[in-house]
Structure formats: C-alpha cells, structure tokens
Amino acid sequence: MRRLPIGRDGMYVIDTGSWRQFRPVVRQADCTRCGICLMYCPVNAVRMSDGEVSFDLTYCKGCGICKIECPKKAIDWVEEGC
Amino acid sequence: MTVVEFLAQAEDLVSPGLSACQGCAAELALRTAMKVIGPKSVVGIPPGCVAGFGAPGWGLKTGMKVPVCMPLLGNSASLMSGIKQAYAAKDPEVRVVAFAGDGATVDAGFQCLSAAAERRENIIYICYDNEGYMNTGFQKSGTTPHGAHMSTTPSGSCSQGNAAFKKDLPLMLAMQDAAYVATLSVSHIPDFVDKLKKACEVTDGLSYLHILSPCPTGWGTTPELSIEYARKAVETLYFPLYEYSRGTFTISKPTLRAAAKAKPVSEFLAGQRRFRHLCEADALALQEHVDRKWGILSRLAG
C-alpha cells in the first residue's frame, strides 16, 4: 500500500535529541525486559531487540519517565557531555 | 501477543522528532493511539498542543505518515464526519480520527461533537485533556479543575483560582447514547490499548475517548512525573476509568481496584504548582466534588 502523501518538502522532523541534559543508560544486569519503559516513552525511543533494551538517542528528549517508571530502577541517568 | 510486544512491533505513524515538551503525555497518547488505529486512517488535529508541536506538519512538511489535516478549533467533528462519509462510499475500512485537545472539544468544539454523536457519524473522536489551553499560555478551559491557578483565573488576595468545577464531557456523551464512550489514562497503557481497539471496532456510531494527559509545563510538575500524576488521578478517583456502550456503564479494572481503597484527592494535588496556594477548605471542596461524581458513576454502573 502506498503510505504517503507526505508534504511536498517531506517529513517535519526536529532534532529533539539535542534538548537532552541527561541520557538514560540501562544496567542490563538488573533489567528484566518487562518493556514498561517502552510502553511509557512519549517519544517512542525505546527499542527491544534480541531480548535487550536500548534507547534511540537521536530523538530521546531526556524527560526521565523511563527512569521513574522502571520497576527495577535499572535505568541510570548520565549527564550529557560528562 | 502482549501489549508490550504489540507496541514494540507496531509502526510509529508519527514523525520521530516533534517539539512537544519533555514529559508530554499528549505525545505518548498520540503515538500509542496511532499504533492501535493503524496506517489505514485519516487524522484531523485542530489547533492545540498537538497541532502546535507539529503533528499536522509545518509549512509544506507533514508530521505524520498518514494523511493529516488541521480543522478549525471548533469544527473537528464536522470536518471528520464529512471525510468519513466520503470514505464510506469509497473504502469503509478507512478510519477517520479526530485528535483534539480539551479546549477544542469541551469548549469550542462541543456543539459539532454533540451533533456528530447525535447523527451517529462513524468517527473516532479522541480528546487529550490537559485541563487548560496549555500552548497559548495556560488559560482556563472547561475541564480545568476547581481551585487551579491558571493565567485567566489567578490565585491572589481576592481569588482562590478557578471557581468552576471540571466539566464531565464523557458522561454527557454517554447520556447522548454515543456508540462508545470511554475514559483513558496514560498511566494504564494495557487498558488504554484495549479501549482503543474497541473504539476501532465500532461501525454504527461515534466513539468518544477522553484521555487524561498530564502537562508538566502547565501543571507545574517535573517532566519525569507525568505518568505518576496520571496514576494518582486514577488512584484517587479524581479521574475514574470507565466505558459506556449500548446502555451499559462498565467501570474499568484499574478504577475498581482503586475504589476498594481510594486515596484522598490531596495526594493528587500535592506537588503541582497550579494547586500550591490551595487551603484546606478548597481541597475539601474538590474532594466533595470527586466523591459526588464517583457516586453518580458507581450508581450508573450499578
């Protein structure tokens, strides 16, 4: 099926990754792959592949919802540029 | 397939980078709703936060991977009804969706929405309720709760914030016998996805979904607590989750669990900048309002 019409000049995409002050980092040893971070990420930046959770940092705004919602508290918060 | 598996494999139909605030629950609601509704759809997004952060696009660029248009503030339900009627002749499987804020739904768009429900137009109308006109400077809307400090109802020496109480639009549309009415919260995604699937199956009338969408910028909370506040709203019965279909009200499971041991509304109010001036009497008035609304709903659900 032809998915588009997309606008004449293409898709409107903003570099929201540059907003981020802190980035999420998963401690794989504590992660149970429950997928709660994926369910609640407003930007849809959580990926689950090969049983591992990772973040798409191109668009992650660093809101911190995944850190708060993680039932195992397995997501660390690392300051950007450090 | 579990909800997580479904959401992990479903295609995100919204542009990956949109300028919603950090922690915006409306962005989460839009992405999750579109994953369930699917690519065979047409979306209308009236002026509001979601239009402001670029989901309908900007200039000659588009913000979604499905056809999307921007109705006026007051006519989303009418415009989408017309589009649905055109598609009904061409391809009845195309889902026509309006994704409107509370200002474009309970205030400006109410007449059109009510008329569309009365005509039994087969559209999915989703309202993300962030309890105010949040992208134009936090003015009070019809769904702003009692006591909230907004830019048009400031608290001060002669005012304690909004004097009115929250308008209950889902209940109004249920009383109008719309085909499917449900309240959803971003804190309970499995229930959220389940209700959207039911809304997609309706073929004989209007589906109305009312989503409580915490707004960190307007409510004065930190971005990471958005989901937590939505959860508190459910647990305190401030925002009960239920659905209405064919004359029957059903209270949803998260609210049934919460009702068994309901927390006081003050837990939901605590920590929000818009409520920080509230005295005990105002908090009590809000608690009484919540109790009264829950009483009505639990009697309706039998």
Side-chain angles (χ1 to χ4, degrees):
Chain A
M1 188 176 68
R2 200 164 155 268
R3 181 69 41 83
L4 319 171
I6 281 205
R8 197 188 74 184
D9 293 353
M11 177 141 282
Y12 177 68
V13 182
I14 290 176
D15 174 23
T16 51
S18 64
W19 299 7
R20 196 171 55 242
Q21 203 180 346
F22 292 91
R23 71 171 175 274
V25 177
V26 192
R27 284 196 313 279
Q28 297 292 353
D30 297 333
C31 174
T32 58
R33 284 94 176 140
C34 64
I36 289 200
C37 49
L38 184 144
M39 252 183 351
Y40 291 117
C41 177
V43 190
N44 194 43
V46 183
R47 303 279 175 272
M48 277 176 92
S49 53
D50 306 328
E52 270 210 352
V53 170
S54 59
F55 297 100
D56 178 357
L57 294 177
T58 327
Y59 298 109
C60 167
K61 294 174 182 171
C63 65
I65 285 177
C66 52
K67 177 188 69 170
I68 293 285
E69 294 302 317
C70 178
K72 295 288 176 193
K73 300 286 170 248
I75 297 173
D76 288 329
W77 221 226
V78 180
E79 191 160 5
E80 290 288 355
C82 288
Chain B
M1 191 187 284
T2 65
V3 174
V4 171
E5 284 167 357
F6 168 74
L7 293 174
Q9 56 82 36
E11 190 192 359
D12 187 9
L13 295 169
V14 184
S15 160
L18 289 177
S19 60
C21 303
Q22 288 177 319
C24 175
E27 187 180 8
L28 172 62
L30 175 68
R31 289 186 197 276
T32 312
M34 288 314 297
K35 278 182 181 177
V36 181
I37 291 164
K40 212 170 177 184
S41 54
V42 178
V43 185
I45 301 177
C49 283
V50 171
F53 69 56
W58 206 255
L60 294 172
K61 294 182 174 180
T62 180
M64 291 176 83
K65 297 173 191 168
V66 294
V68 53
C69 62
M70 192 159 154
L72 299 176
L73 186 64
N75 72 354
S76 330
S78 305
L79 181 68
M80 299 331 277
S81 302
I83 292 175
K84 178 66 195 183
Q85 289 194 3
Y87 272 109
K90 257 181 117 173
D91 185 353
E93 281 178 18
V94 173
R95 289 166 180 156
V96 178
V97 185
F99 198 87
D102 49 293
T105 305
V106 303
D107 293 350
F110 178 57
Q111 174 265 324
C112 284
L113 173 59
S114 172
E118 176 226 317
R119 295 192 307 267
R120 304 195 78 77
E121 301 285 357
N122 186 212
I123 60 171
I124 302 171
Y125 195 105
I126 303 175
C127 168
Y128 60 96
D129 178 8
N130 48 23
E131 306 194 321
Y133 292 85
M134 295 315 193
N135 78 326
T136 52
F138 320 118
Q139 292 87 357
K140 168 203 170 289
S141 82
T143 56
T144 303
H146 178 70
H149 167 101
M150 305 295 280
S151 61
T152 47
T153 59
S155 62
S157 54
C158 52
S159 158
Q160 277 298 307
N162 182 22
F165 288 89
K166 190 177 167 89
K167 186 165 159 183
D168 196 343
L169 196 63
L171 205 55
M172 286 187 201
L173 283 168
M175 290 299 152
Q176 244 194 290
D177 197 25
Y180 182 71
V181 178
T183 56
L184 293 75
S185 167
V186 286
S187 58
H188 296 80
I189 295 287
D191 178 70
F192 186 108
V193 169
D194 192 43
K195 283 171 176 167
L196 266 155
K197 282 182 179 161
K198 283 186 191 168
C200 289
E201 283 162 14
V202 173
T203 53
D204 61 340
L206 184 136
S207 305
Y208 177 74
L209 305 173
H210 195 95
I211 305 173
L212 183 71
S213 167
C215 167
T217 319
W219 292 15
T221 59
T222 49
E224 68 268 25
L225 292 178
S226 292
I227 307 295
E228 191 58 31
Y229 274 105
R231 188 174 293 119
K232 280 181 184 170
V234 173
E235 286 174 353
T236 59
L237 301 180
Y238 171 80
F239 190 80
L241 302 179
Y242 62 92
E243 50 193 339
Y244 168 85
S245 177
R246 299 181 204 292
T248 311
F249 282 90
T250 315
I251 309 282
S252 309
K253 275 180 194 157
T255 292
L256 277 181
R257 278 199 300 272
K261 203 181 171 194
K263 294 177 176 171
V265 173
S266 52
E267 281 193 24
F268 170 67
L269 307 179
Q272 295 187 39
R273 193 178 57 225
R274 60 179 181 155
F275 289 124
R276 70 178 167 187
H277 61 282
L278 277 197
C279 62
E280 224 162 86
D282 290 318
L284 205 64
L286 197 53
Q287 177 74 58
E288 276 172 14
H289 180 70
V290 167
D291 291 344
R292 190 161 63 240
K293 295 300 284 187
W294 171 245
I296 294 172
L297 192 61
S298 46
R299 281 197 294 280
L300 283 171

